């Protein structure tokens, strides 16, 4: 048994570090969410909504994003038509937590790890804002394609780009880089 522990030590350290970081960050996020009333939109989701509105206004879109009176979400009105809802799960924090946990598990030098986490988090956040803006326009034009756009294409894009960031991290900056 000791032989296997020694043989798989790097893998076990990676798995342990990843899950520890993931659980810790998720708990912190859950405590943050619990600080809001059950029928209230959390602050991060509200900021994402404002940023989506700002991006779409830069492109002269007729956009209005407002808090729902009945549910803890934001209603997106595009060309005066209700198009989508922005809920807590749309703010990309769960994707960012996954990204950070992986980078920490494959950490490199402290400074490069911290800078990559910061840059990657900003990239994912901005990508997510544009994802919601583009999704709004596409679902306005093609509401019948909601499953393929929201359920397949856009998750594939965001998780695919996070995967590419991980590959860049492991190959260029982590302690396992050449």
């Amino acid at each position: 048994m000791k032989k296997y522990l020694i043989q798989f030590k790097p893998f076990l350290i990676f798995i342990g570090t990843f899950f520890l970081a993931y659980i810790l960050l998720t708990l912190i996020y859950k405590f943050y969410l619990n600080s809001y009333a059950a029928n209230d939109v959390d602050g991060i989701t509200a900021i994402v909504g404002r940023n989506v509105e700002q991006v779409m206004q830069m492109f002269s879109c007729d956009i209005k994003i407002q808090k729902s009176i009945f549910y803890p979400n934001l209603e997106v009105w595009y060309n005066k038509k209700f198009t989508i809802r922005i809920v807590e799960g749309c703010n990309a924090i769960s994707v960012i937590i996954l990204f950070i946990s992986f980078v920490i598990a494959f950490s490199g030098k402290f400074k490069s790890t911290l800078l990559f986490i910061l840059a990657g988090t900003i990239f994912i956040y901005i990508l997510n804002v544009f994802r919601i803006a583009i999704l709004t326009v596409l679902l306005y034009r093609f509401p019948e394609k909601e499953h393929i756009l929201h359920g397949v294409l856009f998750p594939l894009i965001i998780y695919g780009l996070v995967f590419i960031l991980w590959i860049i991290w492991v190959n260029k900056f982590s302690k396992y880089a050449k």
Side-chain angles (χ1 to χ4, degrees):
M1 182 72 162
K2 185 177 179 182
K3 176 179 121 179
Y4 291 114
L5 287 176
I6 292 169
Q7 181 181 358
F8 294 111
K9 183 180 177 184
F11 174 73
L12 294 173
I13 289 172
F14 166 77
I15 290 293
T17 306
F18 175 83
F19 280 116
L20 183 66
Y22 185 80
I23 290 167
L24 182 65
L25 291 171
T26 300
L27 286 173
I28 291 168
Y29 183 55
K30 290 298 176 194
F31 282 125
Y32 163 78
L33 289 176
N34 289 339
S35 70
Y36 286 88
N39 198 33
D40 202 9
V41 175
D42 70 276
I44 297 171
T45 303
I47 292 168
V48 168
R50 269 183 288 186
N51 292 152
V52 169
E53 193 169 38
Q54 291 166 338
V55 163
M56 293 185 77
Q57 286 172 346
M58 282 181 1
F59 293 99
S60 301
C61 294
D62 178 15
I63 186 76
K64 182 178 181 185
I65 299 179
Q66 64 189 27
K67 185 189 173 317
S68 169
I69 12 180
F70 301 109
Y71 304 103
N73 62 47
L74 301 172
E75 297 175 347
V76 179
W77 294 78
Y78 179 66
N79 290 336
K80 305 201 182 359
K81 178 183 174 197
F82 174 73
T83 310
I84 65 170
R85 287 183 177 84
I86 301 175
V87 299
E88 176 271 323
C90 298
N91 65 21
I93 296 301
S94 61
V95 176
I96 291 169
I97 288 172
L98 193 64
F99 166 76
I100 291 171
S101 300
F102 183 88
V103 172
I104 288 172
F106 267 112
S107 64
K109 294 177 183 165
F110 179 78
K111 185 177 178 182
S112 60
T113 301
L114 190 62
L115 289 175
F116 196 82
I117 286 173
L118 185 61
T121 298
I122 292 168
F123 176 75
I124 293 166
Y125 181 87
I126 291 169
L127 175 70
N128 186 58
V129 168
F130 278 92
R131 173 189 77 94
I132 295 170
I134 293 167
L135 191 59
T136 299
V137 174
L138 289 175
L139 287 177
Y140 174 81
R141 297 194 193 288
F142 309 105
E144 72 281 0
K145 303 289 185 189
E146 179 181 1
H147 172 70
I148 193 79
L149 292 170
H150 184 266
V152 178
L153 183 63
F154 281 94
L156 182 65
I157 291 169
I158 199 158
Y159 283 109
L161 288 169
V162 168
F163 184 72
I164 290 169
L165 286 175
W166 286 342
I167 291 171
I168 292 168
W169 172 252
V170 169
N171 289 319
K172 300 279 185 196
F173 303 106
S174 78
K175 61 186 169 199
Y176 299 101
K178 296 175 190 169

